[in-house]
Amino acid sequence: GAVVSQHPSRVICKSGTSVKIECRSLDFQATTMFWYRQFPKQSLMLMATSNEGSKATYEQGVEKDKFLINHASLTLSTLTVTSAHPEDSSFYICSATEQNNSPLHFGNGTRLTVT
Amino acid sequence: ILNVEQSPQSLHVQEGDSTNFTCSFPSSNFYALHWYRWETAKSPEALFVMTLNGDEKKKGRISATLNTKEGYSYLYIKGSQPEDSATYLCASPTTTDSWGKFQFGAGTQVVVTP
């Protein structure tokens, strides 16, 4: 089955530093990947749609300069949290789909803690 | 209903008992409804993709029904086992223009006790 790999699974960083999270589709090509954020006891909130070879599409209220997305190849999308602050501490998870009308395949997620 | 909502937020089930829970979604401009199972320390796993009103899908002891006219889906677990313990998410596309943009419910956390 289709597998999405996400790294790192857990990261602790200091305020002001940047953190990069990688999302890879291991056995299929994904022209589009999705980045979600989850706060405790809340639903997965779509942050942005990552498009291979073009700019990401951000959801309303998501700062594109804070959350940089790069989708340089058909199997890799990265999310960089720039100048991280404690309020950026959250659970981030990516997903991709093989084709329209197919289910989403998720990475394992990244728990980010900013101290 | 403007958002995807799930109830209850959590439930405890005795091993061997059956249970069910609900996902409500906007019924206007319906396109699809997904169910996912999310076990601790793992990634969410797709259970069902449902598109037709009246659809009923089954995977082992787990089944789901869909009512697109009234905007709800039920997920049933028959004869619950400890390995069924997980958070069950439902999701519906927010737009038909771009597949994959989903609105998720907050999930129903199921705990099956031996």
Side-chain angles (χ1 to χ4, degrees), chain A residues 4-105:
Chain A
V4 172
S5 174
Q6 184 175 342
H7 293 282
S9 58
R10 191 178 294 270
V11 59
I12 300 172
C13 71
K14 293 188 176 180
S15 251
T17 61
S18 294
V19 174
K20 180 185 283 188
I21 304 169
E22 291 190 350
C23 180
R24 292 180 187 272
S25 56
L26 296 186
D27 49 3
F28 66 100
Q29 294 183 331
T31 55
T32 306
M33 291 185 177
F34 303 92
W35 288 96
Y36 295 84
R37 181 175 181 176
Q38 186 185 37
F39 292 103
K41 298 195 182 298
Q42 295 189 25
S43 57
L44 295 175
M45 297 297 295
L46 180 65
M47 297 175 64
T49 303
S50 173
N51 304 298
E52 187 268 333
S54 65
K55 290 183 180 180
T57 307
Y58 291 83
E59 296 301 301
Q60 193 172 8
V62 177
E63 299 176 60
K64 58 184 178 183
D65 295 330
K66 158 68 82 173
F67 300 101
L68 298 180
I69 291 172
N70 183 274
H71 195 149
S73 77
L74 286 171
T75 59
L76 173 64
S77 174
T78 60
L79 168 68
T80 302
V81 183
T82 63
S83 187
H85 288 99
E87 57 264 31
D88 298 325
S89 298
S90 191
F91 182 79
Y92 297 87
I93 190 167
C94 68
S95 72
T97 183
E98 294 165 272
Q99 58 188 21
N100 285 358
N101 300 328
S102 294
L104 295 173
H105 303 289

Side-chain angles (χ1 to χ4, degrees), chain A residues 43 59 100-102 104 107-108, chain B residues 31 36 43 46 99-101 104-105:
Chain A
S43 57
E59 296 301 301
N100 285 358
N101 300 328
S102 294
L104 295 173
N108 277 358
Chain B
Y31 189 71
Y36 294 86
S43 56
W99 181 259
K101 290 185 67 171
F104 280 82

Side-chain angles (χ1 to χ4, degrees), chain B residues 55-75:
Chain B
D55 231 359
E56 181 168 344
K57 297 212 170 182
K58 191 175 181 181
K59 188 175 184 178
R61 292 178 292 96
I62 300 176
S63 61
T65 60
L66 180 67
N67 182 323
T68 61
K69 295 185 188 305
E70 296 182 39
Y72 65 84
S73 175
Y74 290 125
L75 193 118

Side-chain angles (χ1 to χ4, degrees), chain B residues 24-84:
Chain B
S24 302
F25 53 87
S27 55
S28 58
N29 299 317
F30 174 81
Y31 189 71
L33 192 283
H34 288 206
W35 281 100
Y36 294 86
R37 173 169 59 200
W38 195 356
E39 296 178 66
T40 303
K42 295 185 178 180
S43 56
E45 170 198 3
L47 286 173
F48 305 114
V49 175
M50 308 181 81
T51 56
L52 299 176
N53 184 45
D55 231 359
E56 181 168 344
K57 297 212 170 182
K58 191 175 181 181
K59 188 175 184 178
R61 292 178 292 96
I62 300 176
S63 61
T65 60
L66 180 67
N67 182 323
T68 61
K69 295 185 188 305
E70 296 182 39
Y72 65 84
S73 175
Y74 290 125
L75 193 118
Y76 300 87
I77 305 176
K78 184 178 179 182
S80 303
Q81 298 297 309
E83 57 264 32
D84 296 327

